[in-house]
Amino acid sequence: FTVTVLPSFELIDTDGDGEINGLDLGRLGAAFGTRRGDADFDPKADLNGDGSVDGTDLALLAANFGK
């Protein structure tokens, strides 16, 4: 069986302002398509911690947007 651990609110709120909003989306967008080791990689935008900023991270942010 598999256990999935979802990122906490604090991880999805990339700028720590207490809201998941356009500022978080902008940060993720700036790093979108990067991987760990790339110059533009932002570990705070890698919401699931898999080493790349991709559609999975965007989906996590979108599911929590406005919270």
Side-chain angles (χ1 to χ4, degrees):
F1 97 93
T2 303
V3 174
T4 302
V5 178
L6 298 175
S8 68
F9 178 90
E10 290 78 19
L11 290 177
I12 298 172
D13 178 22
T14 64
D15 62 358
D17 68 354
E19 299 177 29
I20 299 173
N21 55 28
L23 297 174
D24 305 299
L25 180 59
R27 186 173 196 157
L28 191 143
F32 196 83
T34 62
R35 300 180 136 291
R36 190 176 295 122
D38 292 347
D40 294 340
F41 178 74
D42 182 349
K44 289 195 172 212
D46 179 17
L47 302 180
N48 65 345
D50 69 350
S52 65
V53 181
D54 56 19
T56 302
D57 303 300
L58 180 58
L60 286 168
L61 192 143
N64 291 280
F65 196 86
K67 294 183 180 177

